Amino acid sequence: MEILTVISPGLKTEKLRRMISDVVAGTGYDLELVTYREDWPVDYRGKKLLFAVELDEVGSDFEFMAYLKVLAASSPNFEGAHAALILNASSELFSKTFAKLAIFNLNSLGLGFIGKPLVEALPDDINLKTWQRHLPGTRPEILKKLCSDLGFRLSQAKPDKLDRLRLMVIHNSDLRTSNTLMLTHMVIQRLAQRLGERLQVEEIRLEDGTIRDCRGCTFHTCMTFAEQKACFYNGDNFDKIFASIEDTDAIVWVCPNYNDTISATLMATINRMSGIYRTVRLDHKRIYGVVVSANSGGDSVAMQLIDGLCLNKGFMLPPYFALIEIANEPLSVLRNKGIDTRIDAFAARIGL
């Protein structure tokens, strides 16, 4: 019998215990529940992992953060592992902030996450009110279903086995000045050296203002257009992006740090993807980020990608998904100490 390893150092409430049980039921696996430090795993290879968090009124789970600190010091091996996260919050704030911080930390240690890896429960399950428009049942019944579905999807996660890699690169940068785009091209060159003819790259450059932001259509309207592989808006580049995403295996998002956020054009592109994830299976498509900051804040940009693309749109988050650098002069990133080694390692992780 396969085992689901549930790690919940701060487990306190009966509600979170029920959520854990519902996830386990969805997997059909046996449960290994880890709450005490002396039981923390020493070998994570190939495991299906569920992290269960209790958020307090200031938006933290101090026992879980202590676990992350010890884990980071132990150099864990997450090869072949897949993970998801459930979260019970004591306020209507902080849940997504904590989730993307926890996932970023675990991913930076080499752990991959399935698409849409989070089920969250706010007080009175207020966050599930919208779900009641589309699913029958009470909020607790919907929460049970979401947890069970999360468990099933986690049980189905498997390592990629691709003969060829179709890679999409998306940006709105200028090669003449952009550290981020130059760094991305170096990664692609190394990847091409590894894969040769097995690599197919499509690079899409979005001019500023060429992608209109989402207008917030109703669910029905969005679905109606999505079924036609279209959007309410016509005449911009998004139709091409829609088709490219459907045909690709992985996407590299080229993200210079603009005031600790990604660019408005790339954010508009993510916002417009609601129709895609409702009609095209994205959970087997990987996302990567190349982020360059003038000083600090690269982690903020990477967490935006996690939030928008993995938590919300459902792309798979592979281990070590982001290459994050600091460079404060045009085209200077290649002078960073150790950059050649990091480029090689990142290209190897994207490769087959």
Side-chain angles (χ1 to χ4, degrees), residues 262-318:
I262 67 175
S263 74
T265 301
L266 292 182
M267 194 70 248
T269 303
I270 293 172
N271 291 341
R272 290 277 295 282
M273 285 184 180
S274 295
I276 293 179
Y277 87 81
R278 287 170 176 158
T279 56
V280 176
R281 183 181 172 187
L282 300 178
D283 61 338
H284 65 298
K285 298 179 186 291
R286 295 175 282 158
I287 57 164
Y288 295 93
V290 178
V291 181
V292 178
S293 303
N295 40 70
S296 63
D299 54 322
S300 298
V301 176
M303 283 188 277
Q304 272 194 303
L305 293 175
I306 290 173
D307 199 356
L309 294 167
C310 179
L311 296 186
N312 284 283
K313 298 302 185 278
F315 287 91
M316 179 173 60
L317 191 73

Side-chain angles (χ1 to χ4, degrees), residues 6-78:
V6 178
I7 299 174
S8 186
L11 181 60
K12 298 179 180 70
T13 64
E14 182 59 31
K15 184 174 184 178
L16 187 59
R17 291 183 184 275
R18 288 197 304 270
M19 292 173 69
I20 291 171
S21 296
D22 293 335
V23 176
V24 174
T27 64
Y29 292 178
D30 285 342
L31 168 64
E32 178 189 20
L33 179 60
V34 179
T35 57
Y36 298 106
R37 180 168 183 160
E38 55 267 24
D39 298 325
W40 291 351
V42 283
D43 188 356
Y44 293 87
R45 289 175 296 175
K47 288 184 179 290
K48 296 295 175 64
L49 297 167
L50 177 70
F51 299 97
V53 171
E54 300 270 20
L55 278 194
D56 61 20
E57 62 277 3
V58 296
S60 189
D61 180 332
F62 291 102
E63 291 92 342
F64 187 80
M65 295 305 292
Y67 163 75
L68 284 184
K69 185 174 181 179
V70 172
L71 186 68
S74 70
S75 300
N77 186 343
F78 287 115

Side-chain angles (χ1 to χ4, degrees), residues 118-319:
L118 173 67
V119 172
E120 53 185 334
L122 304 187
D124 299 320
D125 298 328
I126 187 66
N127 57 306
L128 302 180
K129 186 176 181 180
T130 302
W131 283 90
Q132 289 182 290
R133 300 176 186 172
H134 314 298
L135 291 177
T138 64
R139 293 178 198 174
E141 289 169 342
I142 291 172
L143 178 61
K144 180 182 180 72
K145 182 184 185 305
L146 293 177
C147 288
S148 177
D149 176 68
L150 179 68
F152 176 75
R153 291 187 291 107
L154 181 57
S155 73
Q156 298 302 298
K158 294 179 176 60
D160 281 343
K161 291 185 179 179
L162 298 173
D163 295 323
R164 299 176 59 85
L165 178 63
R166 297 167 299 176
L167 187 67
M168 176 179 169
V169 178
I170 187 166
H171 67 90
N172 66 319
S173 297
D174 187 337
L175 183 58
R176 294 171 297 178
T177 57
S178 173
N179 278 295
T180 322
L181 186 56
M182 181 175 66
L183 184 59
T184 302
H185 284 167
M186 291 294 294
V187 170
I188 300 305
Q189 288 175 19
R190 303 292 171 86
L191 189 56
Q193 290 170 7
R194 289 175 173 273
L195 299 183
E197 294 182 353
R198 294 184 297 157
L199 176 66
Q200 175 185 325
V201 179
E202 179 183 17
E203 183 173 324
I204 297 177
R205 181 174 187 269
L206 304 173
E207 299 285 350
D208 289 337
T210 56
I211 299 293
R212 301 183 194 179
D213 208 343
C214 177
R215 71 187 292 269
C217 289
T218 65
F219 177 83
H220 174 74
T221 300
C222 187
M223 281 298 295
T224 299
F225 280 102
E227 287 167 359
Q228 304 169 38
K229 301 187 185 304
C231 176
F232 173 85
Y233 291 122
N234 289 314
D236 63 10
N237 286 338
F238 192 73
D239 288 347
K240 179 181 179 182
I241 295 170
F242 198 131
S244 296
I245 290 175
E246 189 171 10
D247 291 337
T248 199
D249 300 307
I251 305 174
V252 177
W253 292 79
V254 182
C255 298
N257 182 344
Y258 294 165
N259 299 304
D260 298 332
T261 67
I262 67 175
S263 74
T265 301
L266 292 182
M267 194 70 248
T269 303
I270 293 172
N271 291 341
R272 290 277 295 282
M273 285 184 180
S274 295
I276 293 179
Y277 87 81
R278 287 170 176 158
T279 56
V280 176
R281 183 181 172 187
L282 300 178
D283 61 338
H284 65 298
K285 298 179 186 291
R286 295 175 282 158
I287 57 164
Y288 295 93
V290 178
V291 181
V292 178
S293 303
N295 40 70
S296 63
D299 54 322
S300 298
V301 176
M303 283 188 277
Q304 272 194 303
L305 293 175
I306 290 173
D307 199 356
L309 294 167
C310 179
L311 296 186
N312 284 283
K313 298 302 185 278
F315 287 91
M316 179 173 60
L317 191 73

